[in-house]
């Protein structure tokens, strides 16, 4: 099997606001859209993000009314402190403040208008023991 593209599909109440959030604050661009659907890609590569409106009839019956709950959309970045400052300046609410974990991961979280958690991560250099 050869995988040519990877996407994560998230079901939300309002597709337009989630898509606009990723476009405005994270540089995603719209690849295609229809009623209740939008597919986004990032010019730097990585995973595409697809938003589907909750209740959309093209979804299987058992999936139609689920929402993206408990999902974390994580992006690895190079200068996490600068990204946190930028997002604060853009008015994005930081839902989990910047912190560093003992294993060397720096991270913080924000949430889009539908409550989808977006986590930014930077891996700190490992210290020799």
């Amino acid at each position: 099997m050869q995988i040519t593209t990877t996407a994560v599909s998230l079901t939300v109440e309002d597709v337009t606001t989630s898509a606009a959030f990723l476009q405005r604050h994270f540089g995603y661009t719209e690849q295609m859209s229809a009623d209740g659907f939008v597919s986004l890609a990032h010019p730097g590569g990585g995973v595409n993000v697809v938003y589907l409106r909750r209740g959309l009839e093209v979804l299987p019956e058992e999936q139609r009314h689920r929402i993206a709950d408990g999902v974390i959309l994580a992006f690895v970045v190079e200068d996490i402190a600068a990204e946190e400052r930028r997002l604060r300046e853009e008015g994005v609410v930081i839902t989990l403040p910047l912190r560093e974990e003992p294993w060397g991961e720096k991270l913080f979280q924000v949430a889009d208008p539908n409550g989808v958690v977006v986590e930014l991560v930077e891996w700190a250099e490992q210290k020799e023991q």
Side-chain angles (χ1 to χ4, degrees):
M1 169 177 57
Q2 179 180 355
I3 298 173
T4 60
T5 305
T6 301
V8 60
S9 182
L10 304 170
T11 303
V12 296
E13 292 290 337
D14 185 343
V15 168
T16 304
T17 59
S18 282
F21 185 81
L22 280 191
Q23 290 171 311
R24 178 173 180 217
H25 300 295
F26 296 96
Y28 272 77
T29 59
E30 183 178 306
Q31 298 300 296
M32 64 181 101
S33 65
D35 182 36
F37 160 84
V38 66
S39 177
L40 304 170
H42 195 274
V47 68
N48 289 0
V49 178
V50 175
Y51 289 109
L52 301 170
R53 184 182 64 238
R54 188 173 73 83
L56 201 60
E57 290 189 12
V58 299
L59 291 170
E61 179 67 35
E62 66 275 5
Q63 294 178 15
R64 284 185 195 157
H65 298 287
R66 293 183 182 174
I67 57 170
D69 186 33
V71 173
I72 297 175
L73 187 57
F75 301 129
V76 178
V77 298
E78 291 185 2
D79 187 348
I80 198 160
E83 293 298 334
E84 188 215 24
R85 276 192 307 277
R86 176 185 66 80
L87 289 169
R88 280 187 192 279
E89 290 169 2
E90 292 176 2
V92 176
V93 175
I94 307 300
T95 57
L96 177 69
L98 181 60
R99 67 186 199 197
E100 185 171 350
E101 300 293 356
W103 52 86
E105 176 184 27
K106 295 180 184 176
L107 63 101
F108 71 93
Q109 294 179 345
V110 301
D112 84 355
N114 285 290
V116 175
V117 176
V118 179
E119 180 174 281
L120 276 72
V121 176
E122 178 181 9
W123 292 102
E125 290 186 31
Q126 297 295 316
K127 297 176 184 171
E128 303 255 347
Q129 296 190 12

